[in-house]
Amino acid sequence: MTTTSAPNQATPPNRSRRIVSITLAVIAALVVAFFVFANLYSDWLWFAQLGFTGVLTTQWIGRSVMFVVGFLAMAVPVWGVIQLAYRLRPVYARLSSQLDRYQEVVEPLRRLAMWGIPIFFGFFAGFAASAQWETTWLWVNGVATSVTDPQFGLDTGFYLFGMPFYSAALGFASAVVLVCLLLTGVVSYLYGSVRVGQRELRISKAARIQLAILAGLYLLLQGASLWLDRFRTLVEPSERITGPGYVAANAVIPGQTILAIAAVIVALAFFVTAFLGRWRYPLIGTALLVVSAIVVGAAIPWAVTTFQVRPNELTLESQYYQRNLDGTKAAYGIDKVEKENFQATTEAEAGQLRNDAESTAQLRIMDPAIIGPTVRQLEQYRAYYQFTNPLDVDRYTIGGQTQDTVVSLRELNIGQLGDAASWQNTTLVYTHGYGMVAAAGNERTADGDPVFLEQAIPGTGFLTDLQYEPRVYFGESSPTYSIVGAPEGTDPIELDYPLGADGGTETRTTFSGEGGPSVGNVFNRLIYALKFQSEQILFSDSVNNDSQILYDRDPKERVQKVAPYLTLDSDPYPTVVDGRIKWVIDGYTTSANYPYSTGVSLSRAIADSNNPAPTYALDDINYIRNSVKATVDAYDGSVDLYAWDDEDPLLQAWQKVYPSSLQPWSAMSSDLMSHVRYPTDLMKVQRSMLGVYHVDDAVSFYRQDNRWTTPNDPQDPATFQPPYYLTMKMPSQEQPSYSMFTSFIPASQGGQARNVLTGYLAVDSNAGNAQGTKREDYGRLRMLVIDAATTVPGPGQVQNTFDSDTAVSSQINILQQGQSEVLNGNLLTLPVGGGLLYVQPVFVQSSGDTQLPQLRRVLVAFGNEIAFENTLSEALDTLFGGDSGANTGDETVTPSDQGEGGSTGGGGTAAPTGDYAAALQEAGDALTARQAALTSGDLAAFATQDARLTAAVQRLLALEAEGQGGGSATPAPTPEATPAG
């Protein structure tokens, strides 16, 4: 008998595929987990190197705790109601054939669904809750402000800290109960607890109890939400103000109170139904609640508004308008503005500026928004260096005198390396910029260039004499990352600065600070190779045991990461402090929940010609404080945070959330104190609010017959004119102080405002120079309210006068002959001589590729008189009867181009006479007529006036050649020229 062995059974194909699938899924999960770990670990290394690990761990703990809370708060109730609805289903319920089919589909997946659905909703709820961790932590650490709201008498801390948390918690709880209610209904229907058929709804006792309790809970939460809505009215905008007016206080808030109580009563009716089984009363109560909400929320307020308020609006609304005035001023820090009625002088007389000589001595004629190309051409040295545009402004004490300066750092621009932009060059060689450039704001050379106080590579000037550290590893234009550091004795590979022609000699250096996480071991190198998607980090022989990786190098980015609760000023500025270049960044605490304070859009308030499109995470705010001054060391990137406004309740709460991340402001050195200033963006927000809220009483506010606005920039009419820093003296001050100023003109609808000055605001920006002491006047807001009896031209009107003046236009067109282009600088407004003086530098640059703006003329105006001269000193003397009495920074300068054009203005210089005057007048008339024809599109008239202008110019040139130039008057423009402006 022969036997044969049975063949081995093959592994089922589906089992093999399952093993492969599971293996690939596990590998994919491990890869994803490692990438997540790499990102978290690199963040840990970055914060640890800076000494701010507490900030990172607080965020991790906060998000994790809130995720768990949110997950459990949703998943557990959802799981519970599903389990109850299933377990309490009727065992012998007669189901329809359709429900039988539903159950056949659902039953195989029932066990998975009973666990999967809670987990699914739990994850969504967890992520939503984790996003609210800051709201929760602020509520836990909130502080009292000792200021109460005028409606409910509650501390404003309730609105800043409590109300946002309660709103979020009620919203979350309502979502949980609503999901539970819906899922209970679905499960009860699928398993026969709820049956619909033959015009009849049948609900089992168990389902009735469960549904009624959930419905009652939901209505209880809505009642609590309605109760909270009463307090929310204090931060919501109404028709004219933010906060409740007469209608809200006397109709809306009482109505919300009634609705909240009604919702609780209806909820109790549902609880009773859970045990008695009568649905009629709670359903009727719910319907009545909806109708009541319509009547109380819409009909009654409409009736009160129509029949009571509108006929007596001012009488009834006055106290609420006053609340809004007081609340808004307190929230924006404009409640202590010192206002002075100013009867401006408009007549210019000799010696009129003698009492303001110290103010005029620091008038900035070097516009930081224009001279950037000049600084680049004179100080760039190599294509891989660059300067910010616009440049920054600062002040230094030089020789015992305060000097206003225009400054910028020479930063890297590795985009200019071209073919040399290899990984080694961009990461290891070109690692830092070099040196600060500083120019006097009030001086010029004979050629119209800036007068540099610190310049060159290696540096020369007053800062170099102080032996400061000039290397810039952390700046606004630094490379994404650099790897620096090497063992002692190793040949340096970092380019420090070029010397010699064409880079024939170069100085190299090795970074010696603690600026970034170590990449000295293989594991850290792997982490950063993954982070920056660069295998060279892992395999390069130039990366050694002492190497550090520098990244996140922008000063604002570094401060934002270590202080995520701050809104940062859009204008960080560099300064040399205690021998180091430090970036100074102002930080704000903001909120949208200050009672009775009108909100403002940060992006719109801050946008101007220097900063056209800012963006903010929290854009609409109604409270702001400059609570923190931050510095970032340009060499090693170290960050210091100083609690500047330690009375700010928001900052006090954040200090509890992030303990030990802030230093007291008294720890700031005297040198640093001398360079901090009142922040630009805060001033912009305050001036935006002062346009309406400069009035003090409800009657003026109601009438709004004196609304102001910030004038548009004459050089960019689509944007606001930026505020400017200058060392100047307001009429109420005894000595000049480093200040920031802005002006106001009447507001209007449709852009039809009169461009005349109505107000002038200055804020003292000098914090002093003593450690542990703030100068008493720092932050003091002083406002000149221009007397309505005196008409003072606004910036737009003054610019129009400059542009339309025949003699000025003639000279400007001479300046822009050929390949030249005329640039009007910042139009400064100054309270000197008993009036308001306008100063505008005029620059000329080539219209070709190489641009080098140089100061050629200075326009000045006082009242209705103007002057246009080669220097500010000459222009002021011309304007003020031959001797203004002012001191300026360009008094000793003899411009090299002074023969190119003469002067025009209110006296002191001989005017053109005779045939030359007639020809000049003819040229001016032809120029005006030609421009009018061009504007209207009349080409025939344009050609006629162009020929007339050509003849007049030829006549002027002939008279000039004959020596009949009429004193110092300027020849008329060539026909090819186009009028300025």
Side-chain angles (χ1 to χ4, degrees), residues 47-166:
F47 278 90
Q49 189 276 324
L50 270 180
F52 284 91
T53 52
V55 173
L56 186 62
T57 55
T58 297
Q59 295 179 31
W60 284 355
I61 293 171
R63 292 183 185 277
S64 300
V65 169
M66 289 304 297
F67 178 86
V68 172
V69 170
F71 180 88
L72 294 176
M74 176 66 81
V76 171
V78 168
W79 179 84
V81 297
I82 292 176
Q83 291 289 335
L84 281 174
Y86 176 74
R87 293 181 182 276
L88 299 177
R89 71 192 185 281
V91 179
Y92 302 108
R94 180 179 299 176
L95 304 179
S96 65
S97 59
Q98 187 176 16
L99 281 178
D100 284 335
R101 287 194 296 271
Y102 287 161
Q103 286 191 7
E104 288 177 1
V105 174
V106 171
E107 191 60 29
L109 301 174
R110 177 179 56 80
R111 191 178 300 274
L112 176 63
M114 293 180 73
W115 289 96
I117 290 175
I119 292 174
F120 173 79
F121 281 104
F123 268 106
F124 274 98
F127 287 121
S130 68
Q132 296 292 329
W133 80 269
E134 290 181 321
T135 301
T136 306
W137 261 239
L138 270 183
W139 169 65
V140 172
N141 295 283
V143 299
T145 65
S146 300
V147 178
T148 57
D149 79 85
Q151 180 65 32
F152 298 104
L154 295 177
D155 189 275
T156 54
F158 166 78
Y159 299 92
L160 295 173
F161 309 114
M163 191 172 68
F165 170 76
Y166 297 136

Side-chain angles (χ1 to χ4, degrees), residues 393-396 573-577 582-587 626 628-631 640 642 644 665 667-680 725 737-740 763-770 773-775 778-779:
V393 296
D394 198 1
R395 76 278 192 198
Y396 288 91
Y573 60 97
T575 188
V576 175
V577 174
K582 300 272 190 177
W583 291 95
V584 180
I585 304 103
D586 286 284
N626 177 210
V628 172
K629 301 282 187 183
T631 64
D640 291 303
Y642 300 96
W644 185 250
W665 65 265
M668 300 172 71
S669 70
S670 58
D671 202 2
L672 177 57
M673 287 290 289
S674 68
H675 288 282
V676 300
R677 66 192 190 193
Y678 200 81
T680 308
Y725 291 99
S737 177
Y738 191 70
S739 303
M740 182 169 40
V763 57
D764 198 314
S765 301
N766 181 12
N769 56 6
T773 303
K774 287 183 189 178
R775 187 168 159 270
Y778 172 83

Side-chain angles (χ1 to χ4, degrees), residues 307-633:
F307 302 111
Q308 189 173 1
V309 174
R310 286 181 180 169
N312 309 283
E313 189 167 18
L314 180 58
T315 302
L316 297 178
E317 297 281 17
S318 289
Q319 65 169 315
Y320 303 102
Y321 290 165
Q322 192 64 49
R323 291 178 180 182
N324 179 245
L325 274 169
D326 297 339
T328 301
K329 289 183 177 183
Y332 292 97
I334 55 177
D335 51 338
K336 297 181 181 178
V337 175
E338 298 178 3
K339 290 189 288 188
E340 175 184 352
N341 192 53
F342 188 62
Q343 295 182 332
T345 300
T346 57
E347 300 295 328
E349 300 177 355
Q352 196 162 335
L353 303 184
R354 188 160 285 111
N355 293 333
D356 296 295
E358 291 181 89
S359 289
T360 58
Q362 289 292 345
L363 283 181
R364 188 173 62 246
I365 55 177
M366 285 294 145
D367 186 349
I370 287 184
I371 66 170
T374 304
V375 173
R376 183 174 66 249
Q377 291 293 331
L378 299 177
E379 290 294 323
Q380 184 174 345
Y381 286 91
R382 293 292 187 270
Y384 49 78
Y385 288 131
Q386 66 178 339
F387 297 95
T388 57
N389 190 29
L391 307 180
D392 292 295
V393 296
D394 198 1
R395 76 278 192 198
Y396 288 91
T397 300
I398 304 175
Q401 298 293 322
T402 299
Q403 173 67 57
D404 288 4
T405 57
V406 179
V407 302
S408 187
L409 299 183
R410 191 181 288 106
E411 295 194 52
L412 273 181
N413 181 9
I414 60 175
Q416 292 294 321
L417 291 179
D419 294 339
S422 64
W423 179 86
Q424 178 141 349
N425 275 341
T426 58
T427 306
L428 303 172
V429 177
Y430 294 91
T431 58
H432 61 277
Y434 192 92
M436 175 178 279
V437 170
N442 61 337
E443 297 182 33
R444 54 164 287 181
T445 66
D447 293 330
D449 294 330
V451 174
F452 290 105
L453 306 174
E454 176 69 27
Q455 64 182 128
I457 297 180
T460 60
F462 76 103
L463 294 176
T464 300
D465 293 342
L466 298 175
Q467 299 181 341
Y468 79 110
E469 172 55 67
R471 296 166 183 84
V472 183
Y473 283 89
F474 294 84
E476 294 177 299
S477 302
S478 297
T480 303
Y481 71 95
S482 295
I483 297 178
V484 298
E488 188 175 351
T490 305
D491 292 336
I493 61 173
E494 297 178 53
L495 176 66
D496 200 17
Y497 55 84
L499 284 177
D502 300 323
T505 303
E506 295 177 342
T507 300
R508 295 185 176 268
T509 189
T510 298
F511 180 79
S512 59
E514 294 292 332
S518 170
V519 285
N521 59 70
V522 175
F523 184 73
N524 283 9
R525 290 165 68 173
L526 174 61
I527 292 296
Y528 284 104
L530 291 174
K531 180 178 179 66
F532 293 108
Q533 301 294 295
S534 176
E535 71 280 0
Q536 292 94 332
I537 296 175
L538 189 60
F539 299 114
S540 174
D541 293 336
S542 298
V543 182
N544 54 73
N545 292 335
D546 291 340
S547 292
Q548 304 171 43
I549 185 166
L550 314 181
Y551 64 98
D552 290 343
R553 302 162 75 174
D554 184 281
K556 281 184 65 176
E557 183 179 7
R558 293 179 78 79
V559 173
Q560 193 69 81
K561 289 185 70 172
V562 301
Y565 52 89
L566 293 177
T567 298
L568 299 183
D569 194 272
S570 57
D571 186 26
Y573 60 97
T575 188
V576 175
V577 174
D578 301 320
R580 310 277 286 198
I581 297 175
K582 300 272 190 177
W583 291 95
V584 180
I585 304 103
D586 286 284
Y588 309 109
T589 45
T590 59
S591 175
N593 295 301
Y594 195 89
Y596 270 111
S597 173
T598 295
V600 66
S601 167
L602 271 178
S603 57
R604 287 199 295 268
I606 290 172
D608 59 24
S609 57
N610 286 342
N611 187 22
T615 56
Y616 298 93
L618 178 61
D619 189 49
D620 295 316
I621 65 166
N622 70 357
Y623 174 92
I624 186 170
R625 289 291 185 270
N626 177 210
S627 53
V628 172
K629 301 282 187 183
T631 64
V632 177
D633 193 297

Side-chain angles (χ1 to χ4, degrees), residues 181 242 248 261 457 467 518 539 592 601 647 658 714 765 854 915 936:
L181 184 62
T242 292
I261 296 172
I457 297 180
Q467 299 181 341
S518 170
F539 299 114
S601 167
E647 296 182 358
Y658 295 107
S765 301
Q854 295 177 306
D915 293 340
S936 63

Side-chain angles (χ1 to χ4, degrees), residues 92-319:
Y92 302 108
R94 180 179 299 176
L95 304 179
S96 65
S97 59
Q98 187 176 16
L99 281 178
D100 284 335
R101 287 194 296 271
Y102 287 161
Q103 286 191 7
E104 288 177 1
V105 174
V106 171
E107 191 60 29
L109 301 174
R110 177 179 56 80
R111 191 178 300 274
L112 176 63
M114 293 180 73
W115 289 96
I117 290 175
I119 292 174
F120 173 79
F121 281 104
F123 268 106
F124 274 98
F127 287 121
S130 68
Q132 296 292 329
W133 80 269
E134 290 181 321
T135 301
T136 306
W137 261 239
L138 270 183
W139 169 65
V140 172
N141 295 283
V143 299
T145 65
S146 300
V147 178
T148 57
D149 79 85
Q151 180 65 32
F152 298 104
L154 295 177
D155 189 275
T156 54
F158 166 78
Y159 299 92
L160 295 173
F161 309 114
M163 191 172 68
F165 170 76
Y166 297 136
S167 297
L170 283 172
F172 183 87
S174 296
V176 172
V177 174
L178 185 60
V179 169
C180 290
L181 184 62
L182 294 174
L183 287 174
T184 298
V186 171
V187 175
S188 297
Y189 177 73
L190 283 175
Y191 288 97
S193 298
V194 176
R195 284 173 286 172
V196 181
Q198 299 179 350
R199 298 182 180 180
E200 187 178 19
L201 174 64
R202 291 182 176 273
I203 304 176
S204 69
K205 180 179 180 180
R208 183 193 72 219
I209 293 173
Q210 189 171 345
L211 290 170
I213 290 176
L214 288 172
L217 287 174
Y218 185 76
L219 281 171
L220 275 181
L221 291 171
Q222 299 317 299
S225 182
L226 285 167
W227 187 265
L228 186 64
D229 285 344
R230 299 161 63 249
F231 306 107
R232 197 178 289 117
T233 58
L234 270 70
V235 299
E236 292 178 343
S238 57
E239 186 175 351
R240 292 284 298 272
I241 62 174
T242 292
Y246 180 86
V247 175
N250 294 277
V252 175
I253 292 176
Q256 289 170 332
T257 304
I258 294 171
L259 288 174
I261 296 172
V264 173
I265 294 173
V266 176
L268 293 176
F270 273 102
F271 294 147
V272 171
T273 295
F275 299 99
L276 299 183
R278 297 184 181 274
W279 289 96
R280 177 178 302 176
Y281 299 115
L283 292 178
I284 292 175
T286 302
L288 291 175
L289 183 63
V290 173
V291 173
S292 299
I294 296 173
V295 173
V296 172
I300 293 178
W302 175 83
V304 173
T305 300
T306 303
F307 302 111
Q308 189 173 1
V309 174
R310 286 181 180 169
N312 309 283
E313 189 167 18
L314 180 58
T315 302
L316 297 178
E317 297 281 17
S318 289
Q319 65 169 315

Side-chain angles (χ1 to χ4, degrees), residues 875-927:
L876 293 178
D877 285 342
T878 299
L879 187 63
F880 288 94
D883 180 16
S884 67
N887 296 327
T888 65
D890 61 356
E891 287 177 311
T892 60
V893 176
T894 302
S896 59
D897 63 331
Q898 62 179 354
E900 294 179 10
S903 60
T904 180
T909 307
T913 59
D915 293 340
Y916 194 92
L920 183 63
Q921 181 64 41
E922 174 70 8
D925 293 343
L927 184 67

Side-chain angles (χ1 to χ4, degrees), residues 589-831:
T589 45
T590 59
S591 175
N593 295 301
Y594 195 89
Y596 270 111
S597 173
T598 295
V600 66
S601 167
L602 271 178
S603 57
R604 287 199 295 268
I606 290 172
D608 59 24
S609 57
N610 286 342
N611 187 22
T615 56
Y616 298 93
L618 178 61
D619 189 49
D620 295 316
I621 65 166
N622 70 357
Y623 174 92
I624 186 170
R625 289 291 185 270
N626 177 210
S627 53
V628 172
K629 301 282 187 183
T631 64
V632 177
D633 193 297
Y635 183 78
D636 62 18
S638 57
V639 178
D640 291 303
L641 305 174
Y642 300 96
W644 185 250
D645 186 353
D646 47 17
E647 296 182 358
D648 173 38
L650 280 175
L651 183 64
Q652 292 172 2
W654 282 118
Q655 283 185 287
K656 293 181 179 180
V657 175
Y658 295 107
S660 69
S661 64
L662 291 171
Q663 304 177 53
W665 65 265
S666 57
M668 300 172 71
S669 70
S670 58
D671 202 2
L672 177 57
M673 287 290 289
S674 68
H675 288 282
V676 300
R677 66 192 190 193
Y678 200 81
T680 308
D681 288 353
L682 179 57
M683 169 68 147
K684 293 178 186 178
V685 171
Q686 289 176 326
R687 75 175 180 181
S688 177
M689 300 312 298
L690 281 168
V692 174
Y693 289 90
H694 63 276
V695 299
D696 296 320
D697 61 272
V699 175
S700 298
F701 178 81
Y702 170 76
R703 292 173 179 168
Q704 292 198 2
D705 56 353
N706 191 24
R707 294 186 65 178
W708 298 348
T709 187
T710 303
N712 291 335
D713 192 329
Q715 313 314 319
D716 187 3
T719 60
F720 289 138
Q721 187 179 39
Y724 296 105
Y725 291 99
L726 284 177
T727 296
M728 52 172 283
K729 181 177 70 172
M730 289 287 280
S732 60
Q733 289 179 278
E734 295 182 359
Q735 297 294 328
S737 177
Y738 191 70
S739 303
M740 182 169 40
F741 66 87
T742 189
S743 55
F744 296 95
I745 61 173
S748 68
Q749 300 294 328
Q752 300 301 316
R754 293 177 63 220
N755 203 282
V756 296
L757 285 188
T758 54
Y760 184 88
L761 179 68
V763 57
D764 198 314
S765 301
N766 181 12
N769 56 6
Q771 182 175 0
T773 303
K774 287 183 189 178
R775 187 168 159 270
E776 184 179 356
D777 282 349
Y778 172 83
R780 179 171 293 180
L781 292 159
R782 298 180 174 92
M783 177 183 289
L784 302 180
V785 180
I786 311 300
D787 193 283
T790 305
T791 299
V792 179
Q797 193 177 131
V798 170
Q799 188 68 61
N800 181 73
T801 301
F802 286 160
D803 295 342
S804 61
D805 185 89
T806 302
V808 172
S809 297
S810 300
Q811 294 186 55
I812 286 179
N813 279 278
I814 289 292
L815 293 174
Q816 62 183 13
Q817 288 185 85
Q819 298 299 312
S820 296
E821 178 183 1
V822 172
L823 303 174
N824 292 326
N826 41 215
L827 183 59
L828 306 177
T829 312
L830 310 159

